[in-house]
Amino acid sequence: MNQILIVEDENRLAAFLQKGLQKNGYETTIANDGEQAINMVLHTKFDLMVLDIGLPIKDGFTVLQELRNNQEKFPVIIITARSDDGDKDKAIAFGANDFLTKPFSFKDLLSIIETNLFVSHN
């Protein structure tokens, strides 16, 4: 079963994502800030990360840079309220696999997750 780390500081959104992903057969873990996310990745194998940009302690860009600098290659899907094209370009440059702007359709997120998991396992 695929392990997904949800990194989101909005508790309601994190719980919504967790419930929806578990309903679709994924095992999930939630981190509420960037530092917690990095620590979790160091101790647990994840198949994919759903990562918010606007996080406490370490923002999503910092988390993404640290993951890629540590050679973590699992897919990272960015979710953010920011709609600036520069943020999307920056996220992709730092190694994000995809980018969704809030609000987004859960169906769209699920499709992106499934595509990225399929590509990363083949």
Side-chain angles (χ1 to χ4, degrees):
M1 186 174 290
N2 289 309
Q3 296 278 340
I4 297 178
L5 178 59
I6 300 165
V7 188
E8 172 60 60
D9 61 324
E10 269 185 58
N11 292 332
R12 289 180 65 194
L13 179 55
F16 170 77
L17 293 173
Q18 183 173 46
K19 183 178 178 182
L21 291 171
Q22 287 175 345
K23 202 174 197 180
N24 282 277
Y26 297 104
E27 288 191 22
T28 60
T29 304
I30 295 174
N32 298 111
D33 65 62
E35 188 170 302
Q36 183 183 29
I38 293 294
N39 288 332
M40 287 179 167
V41 169
L42 294 175
H43 298 99
T44 305
K45 181 193 176 306
F46 292 100
D47 298 298
L48 184 137
M49 177 186 286
V50 176
L51 176 64
D52 186 20
I53 297 274
L55 296 168
I57 304 175
K58 291 183 179 183
D59 72 8
F61 290 126
T62 302
V63 171
L64 187 55
Q65 275 188 302
E66 288 186 25
L67 290 175
R68 297 311 189 219
N69 288 342
N70 288 330
Q71 305 303 312
E72 295 291 344
K73 300 200 186 305
F74 57 80
V76 176
I77 311 304
I78 299 293
I79 57 171
T80 185
R82 300 178 187 189
S83 59
D84 183 355
D85 284 340
D87 286 335
K88 182 175 183 175
D89 293 343
K90 185 176 177 180
I92 299 300
F94 285 179
N97 296 78
D98 218 319
F99 188 98
L100 278 174
T101 303
K102 296 176 187 174
F104 54 84
S105 150
F106 182 78
K107 184 178 175 183
D108 289 345
L109 176 62
L110 192 59
S111 176
I112 289 169
I113 287 171
E114 290 171 356
T115 299
N116 277 280
L117 286 173
F118 176 78
V119 169
S120 72
H121 288 233
N122 290 312

